[in-house]
Amino acid sequence: MNRRLPVLTAASTPLDRALCGLRRLFMLVLAFAYVALFVLLAGEGLSVALDAGDGIVLAGSVATMPWAALIHVPIMLGYLGFAAVALHPRYRDDTLFRRIGWLTVIGVGLSCARMAAAFLNMAWLVAPLALAALLVLGRALVVLAWWPRPISMARRMVVNLPIGLHAGWLTVLAPLNILSAFPAGAQALSLGGGFLALVGLLALAIAGVRLTRAEPAFVVAILWGLFAIMARGGVPSLGQPLGLMAILAALVIIAFALWTRTQSRPAHFL
């Protein structure tokens, strides 16, 4: 028996229309808030955007290079496109946008709050917000990955791309944010703390790759973060174990992502 996805028709009640309008407004405001926060932080330098914005200034020996913060550029541009497309009359009652709209709004809002908390040196709040944003955006990405109908390339650029990159970057940040919340332990046991952070990152990444059917943007963001960790850790060698662990984790993720794509190809596989 073929299972058909229920088709959501145009909002038929004043409450439905009001909620849809509120969702689109929140997305537009949060997209600009994301841009404003990043520009404010990047204006002081990429190292400030990474350390004060992404909350890994106290991560000890395992952290990313400052240029890794540039991943926020395609994310925020993608969210601006998401907000603009959602406002178009053609997509105001689109089924896909209605399924992931509030998830995206909540995820972006939590991420903006995380950046603000990191900027205000509220390290104890950064990690929970990062994990919450990852869970919400991850759920939206799972919906996209298992969507039963083809998704056009244009829509993927403003939906799959920013959500996938954002969820992947949060997968990298979440273990580092947790490590940053315990600066004394991270400094005293920098190698052990870095190892635990990379193990946590790898576990989150493998689970995410599986659940999202190896969504390309998600995988690329994780590899970007691991490459930045490797670059900051030095040339991978026995003398630079964290850099070596980062590149090994990247190879494991690449292999697992390729295997996942061959095992389960959605209808909109590109």
Side-chain angles (χ1 to χ4, degrees):
M1 180 181 296
N2 293 329
R3 297 181 62 186
R4 300 184 62 185
L5 187 73
V7 177
L8 297 177
T9 57
S12 57
T13 68
L15 179 59
D16 290 335
R17 290 192 293 270
L19 288 175
C20 288
L22 193 62
R23 184 195 73 222
R24 294 191 293 267
L25 177 62
F26 278 159
M27 187 64 216
L28 184 64
V29 171
L30 287 171
F32 278 106
Y34 195 119
V35 174
L37 279 169
F38 180 76
V39 170
L40 175 66
L41 295 168
E44 301 294 328
L46 288 178
S47 60
V48 175
L50 181 69
D51 293 341
D54 284 325
I56 58 175
V57 65
L58 301 175
S61 60
V62 55
T64 60
M65 292 294 284
W67 45 257
L70 290 173
I71 196 172
H72 287 287
V73 175
I75 293 173
M76 64 187 185
L77 291 177
Y79 282 140
L80 287 173
F82 184 107
V85 171
L87 285 172
H88 194 280
R90 178 181 176 183
Y91 297 104
R92 286 184 178 178
D93 298 302
D94 181 80
T95 308
L96 181 60
F97 279 104
R98 294 188 69 181
R99 284 288 300 275
I100 67 169
W102 281 112
L103 289 172
T104 307
V105 167
I106 295 171
V108 176
L110 287 169
S111 190
C112 288
R114 177 191 62 81
M115 294 174 69
F119 180 72
L120 296 173
N121 294 321
M122 301 170 67
W124 58 273
L125 191 56
V126 174
L129 288 172
L131 287 172
L134 174 58
L135 289 174
V136 176
L137 291 173
R139 173 56 183 164
L141 196 59
V142 169
V143 172
L144 291 170
W146 293 85
W147 196 248
R149 293 191 287 272
I151 301 177
S152 67
M153 178 58 72
R155 199 182 306 193
R156 288 177 68 87
M157 292 300 293
V158 297
V159 178
N160 296 56
L161 181 64
I163 295 177
L165 289 177
H166 201 176
W169 183 238
L170 288 171
T171 300
V172 175
L173 290 183
L176 301 184
N177 288 157
I178 293 173
L179 184 62
S180 298
F182 304 96
Q187 296 296 336
L189 300 171
S190 59
L191 180 58
F195 175 76
L196 290 176
L198 286 174
V199 169
L201 191 161
L202 183 60
L204 285 174
I206 288 177
V209 167
R210 184 59 178 171
L211 290 172
T212 65
R213 288 176 163 178
E215 175 65 34
F218 179 77
V219 176
V220 166
I222 294 173
L223 295 178
W224 172 266
L226 284 171
F227 180 72
I229 290 173
M230 181 196 71
R232 188 156 178 169
V235 178
S237 65
L238 293 179
Q240 298 288 347
L242 292 177
L244 183 61
M245 286 188 287
I247 197 169
L248 290 176
L251 292 174
V252 170
I253 291 169
I254 291 172
F256 187 72
L258 291 174
W259 178 82
T260 300
R261 293 296 265 184
T262 59
Q263 292 297 310
S264 179
R265 292 190 177 188
H268 54 275
F269 174 79
L270 297 177

